[in-house]
Amino acid sequence: MTGVNAADVGDGTANDVVVEAVDVQKWFGKLHVLQGISLTVKRREAVVILGPSGSGKSTFLRCVNHLEKIQEGRILVNGHLIGYREVKGRLVEDKEKNIARQRAEIGMVFQNFNLFPHKTALENITAGPMHVRKTDEEQARSEALVLLERVGLRDKADAYPLRLSGGQQQRVAIARALAMKPALMLFDEPTSALDPEMIGEVLTVMKELAFDGMTMIVVTHEMGFAREAADRVVMMADGVIVEEGVPSSFFNAPEHERTKAFLSQIL
Amino acid sequence: MTQTVIATYPFNWGAFLDYLLNPNGMVTNGIRLTIIIAVVSEIIGVVLGVLLALARMSRSKVLRRASGIYIWFFRGTPLLVQIAIVYFAGFPFFGLPIFGGYSWGDVTVFGVVIPGRILAGIFALSANEGAYMAEIVRGGITGVDAGQLEAARSIGMTRALAMRLVVLPQAARLIVPPLGNQFNMMLKTTSLLSVISVVELYTASSIVQGQTFQPFEVFFAAAIYYLIMTSIWNFIQSRVERRLGRGWGEERGAQDRLTTRLFGRGLPSRNQAAVSLDR
């Protein structure tokens, strides 16, 4: 199944581009965290972003669904500007309602899971479809159960998150994001807060997603996942993309000094 | 040599028990009024508190400032003075012909006549309670992890929807314990309305005392009534806390027992102290 996504990437027409980031610039106060990031992600492509901490990779990911503002450049998802509207050639922050509508199409998985602790696993998953998509409860529940089955937690439907292990919580969080039937999934260091023995179960779910053709951007330190599941690996350092390529050449023959230094530290 | 005569009289148990077990109609009405005023004022106070807290945290500078001034005023002046201002000055209407202008006229709601002084009392208590509740609600909202709001927004919820479905239900768990404390105080604070002659439990008792000259027996019976009311509230509050604790392992067993709530835990034994240090 591994080869499926590479073959399905398509012919590169505009319709096949899910994410298009052009010269994205961002400052935190005086700190220039994103210094011109340009990245294109095509439909069914899984892109892994690597880089040392402080390189801006998580910040960039959070800009893609406008949890962070950008100061210059633009990010388009499915051909629509994210978080902004163009008024006379200048970008103005969009209305909250429109941003919310855009975010509904972009799933996000957080390092700390951020499940809703007052809702059961099932209620966590149905909240979005029921209250944002206005799906009726019965349908939302049955779809949620299918998703729980898919992440291997059908029997935990009525459990509250704090009763679940970290790995189980993260799998529920993935199901919660998938329930919105997103066109794109963002993973922000999804295994960094997990005990080592739980990392595997989360990565397995993510690999299946990638092989099934989900378009995804993953910020992670899991090199094994990058090798096996990524179509493309992007290396970020100091707010810029220093190198990108397919996993085989990226890991076996890195070109940039920063990449070599980073890989030698990690591997 | 003259001796100082200290006026004492023996505590009349029979009279005390009579006041306690056979309260006259004015006292029973007083108890009823105390509960009604406390409940209504607390409900209005909580609603007001949520609105003030949201205003205090809103993106509008005007709302933040207005809410801040309100809280500053009502927390910074004595409730007794606020009650007097509201009742005697007709505040905040300053003579406008609402509720009868300068004086609080009676108002009929669904065929029930509510005396103006009770209305004024509820107004003052609610307004004051709102200021305190605003700070409690704000604390509760701030206490909810910021990641919760981000997660809610990442599945397409607007800020308002995320507040309602995700943040406020979790804040409620943090708000209820101090809220219970506030209502406990509210039950007792209604006695301040005696200053505007609302015949609640305390005023009724002092009228009885004026007729029978048995202050100790009368007020001791009143104290017992207040104690019963606050104890019942304690019980209700522990039930509510258990319900809101679902998801945090507080559903069952983890809650304090009623006796613990009422009388405290006492001193830990040596073993218990050692255990708690281990954690």
Side-chain angles (χ1 to χ4, degrees):
Chain A
M1 277 189 81
T2 320
V4 170
N5 25 356
D8 279 11
V9 161
D11 54 11
T13 59
N15 206 19
D16 268 343
V17 173
V18 178
V19 181
E20 190 181 6
V22 184
D23 193 29
V24 174
Q25 309 260 355
K26 179 172 178 64
W27 283 262
F28 281 129
K30 283 190 171 174
L31 190 67
H32 197 177
V33 278
L34 299 179
Q35 308 181 10
I37 301 289
S38 296
L39 182 72
T40 303
V41 180
K42 292 183 178 143
R43 200 167 304 284
R44 301 177 71 84
E45 200 179 15
V47 174
V48 166
I49 303 181
L50 300 175
S53 55
S55 58
K57 54 195 192 308
S58 280
T59 305
F60 172 69
L61 197 72
R62 291 164 56 82
C63 291
V64 175
N65 69 350
H66 198 62
L67 284 178
E68 300 281 355
K69 293 177 187 182
I70 62 176
Q71 273 84 49
E72 276 173 42
R74 55 184 59 204
I75 300 176
L76 292 95
V77 174
N78 277 338
H80 298 289
L81 267 178
I82 285 295
Y84 298 90
R85 207 151 45 91
E86 198 156 6
V87 179
K88 291 176 193 158
R90 298 178 63 194
L91 294 188
V92 184
E93 192 164 26
D94 209 343
K95 283 196 209 100
E96 201 201 339
K97 251 197 177 143
N98 295 336
I99 299 173
R101 202 172 300 145
Q102 291 179 320
R103 286 203 188 104
E105 311 299 327
I106 306 171
M108 178 128 188
V109 175
F110 299 87
Q111 182 175 349
N112 297 316
F113 332 132
N114 291 340
L115 287 179
F116 309 135
H118 61 303
K119 292 181 182 293
T120 62
L122 190 78
E123 289 166 350
N124 264 277
I125 300 171
T126 56
M130 279 171 60
H131 297 285
V132 177
R133 294 258 194 257
K134 310 290 181 201
T135 312
D136 68 271
E137 188 176 354
E138 208 172 311
Q139 195 191 340
R141 285 178 67 94
S142 66
E143 288 180 9
L145 287 171
V146 171
L147 285 168
L148 277 173
E149 184 85 58
R150 191 163 160 194
V151 298
L153 291 170
R154 174 69 176 75
D155 56 326
K156 298 290 185 187
D158 295 322
Y160 284 97
L162 294 184
R163 297 265 184 220
L164 301 176
S165 73
Q168 291 171 332
Q169 287 190 52
Q170 193 61 299
R171 285 187 279 154
V172 173
I174 293 172
R176 175 176 69 180
L178 291 174
M180 297 299 288
K181 304 189 177 82
L184 167 71
M185 286 282 285
L186 307 175
F187 293 84
D188 188 6
E189 304 203 24
T191 56
S192 296
L194 294 175
D195 291 335
E197 73 268 23
M198 290 170 186
I199 292 176
E201 63 193 59
V202 172
L203 292 181
T204 303
V205 169
M206 290 168 60
K207 277 177 207 162
E208 283 171 11
L209 268 181
F211 296 151
D212 285 351
M214 172 60 77
T215 311
M216 50 206 263
I217 306 179
V218 183
V219 169
T220 186
H221 294 292
E222 294 296 328
M223 297 301 145
F225 175 82
R227 270 182 200 276
E228 280 180 56
D231 297 299
R232 193 148 47 103
V233 181
V234 174
M235 169 76 191
M236 272 181 76
D238 301 326
V240 295
I241 292 177
V242 293
E243 184 169 352
E244 60 175 290
V246 295
S248 53
S249 63
F250 181 90
F251 286 108
N252 298 330
E255 285 170 13
H256 200 278
E257 284 308 316
R258 292 295 303 259
T259 315
K260 286 178 194 168
F262 178 72
L263 290 177
S264 69
Q265 276 172 354
I266 289 252
L267 295 177
Chain B
M1 222 171 88
T2 49
Q3 251 196 318
T4 314
V5 179
I6 302 167
T8 62
Y9 66 97
F11 186 78
N12 187 336
W13 282 98
F16 165 69
L17 288 174
D18 195 44
Y19 289 129
L20 188 64
L21 301 176
N22 304 308
N24 69 20
M26 190 169 56
V27 172
T28 46
N29 277 336
I31 293 172
R32 218 170 55 194
L33 200 53
T34 290
I35 294 171
I36 292 171
I37 292 176
V39 169
V40 173
S41 303
E42 190 64 45
I43 290 171
I44 300 174
V46 168
V47 172
L48 196 59
V50 171
L51 295 178
L52 284 166
L54 291 176
R56 193 108 175 79
M57 302 172 80
S58 88
R59 279 167 290 189
S60 149
K61 195 177 172 182
V62 178
L63 281 179
R64 282 203 306 271
R65 187 66 66 80
S67 175
I69 290 173
Y70 181 98
I71 294 166
W72 169 73
F73 178 81
F74 278 96
R75 295 207 316 165
T77 55
L79 177 53
L80 196 55
V81 174
Q82 292 165 16
I83 292 169
I85 293 174
V86 167
Y87 184 64
F88 296 113
F91 176 85
F93 306 111
F94 294 108
L96 293 173
I98 305 167
F99 295 133
Y102 273 102
S103 63
W104 289 76
D106 299 352
V107 168
T108 311
V109 182
F110 300 119
V112 182
V113 180
I114 305 169
R117 57 186 72 244
I118 293 179
L119 221 50
I122 290 175
F123 188 101
L125 290 176
S126 313
N128 181 270
E129 187 64 13
Y132 283 92
M133 280 312 302
E135 292 297 271
I136 290 171
V137 171
R138 189 160 71 103
I141 291 174
T142 321
V144 176
D145 181 46
Q148 291 291 312
L149 190 60
E150 286 195 346
R153 297 173 101 177
S154 77
I155 52 174
M157 291 189 189
T158 56
R159 203 176 121 98
L161 187 62
M163 268 286 164
R164 189 160 65 76
L165 289 179
V166 175
V167 178
L168 284 178
Q170 292 182 63
R173 175 174 155 267
L174 303 173
I175 290 168
V176 163
L179 165 70
N181 211 21
Q182 288 296 117
F183 184 64
N184 179 304
M185 288 202 282
M186 177 67 85
L187 280 167
K188 298 171 291 184
T189 307
T190 50
S191 58
L192 287 183
L193 297 185
S194 64
V195 77
I196 57 170
S197 305
V198 173
V199 190
E200 40 62 64
L201 175 55
Y202 170 75
T203 313
S205 301
S206 62
I207 292 170
V208 172
Q209 184 274 143
Q211 292 161 351
T212 63
F213 303 111
Q214 287 178 309
F216 204 17
E217 289 80 355
V218 171
F219 288 126
F220 202 48
I224 300 284
Y225 285 131
Y226 281 113
L227 207 47
I228 292 171
M229 288 190 270
T230 51
S231 299
I232 291 172
W233 170 245
N234 261 322
F235 177 74
I236 296 172
Q237 189 191 342
S238 69
R239 286 303 196 75
V240 175
E241 281 176 26
R242 215 176 302 174
R243 203 187 139 75
L244 288 172
R246 278 186 313 190
W248 281 269
E250 291 167 10
E251 303 92 319
R252 149 171 42 87
Q255 276 292 311
D256 290 339
R257 291 168 45 192
L258 183 61
T259 49
T260 317
R261 293 190 69 86
L262 292 179
F263 307 119
R265 235 176 266 277
L267 291 172
S269 74
R270 223 168 250 235
N271 286 344
Q272 280 172 330
V275 167
S276 57
L277 279 178
D278 282 347
R279 282 193 195 153

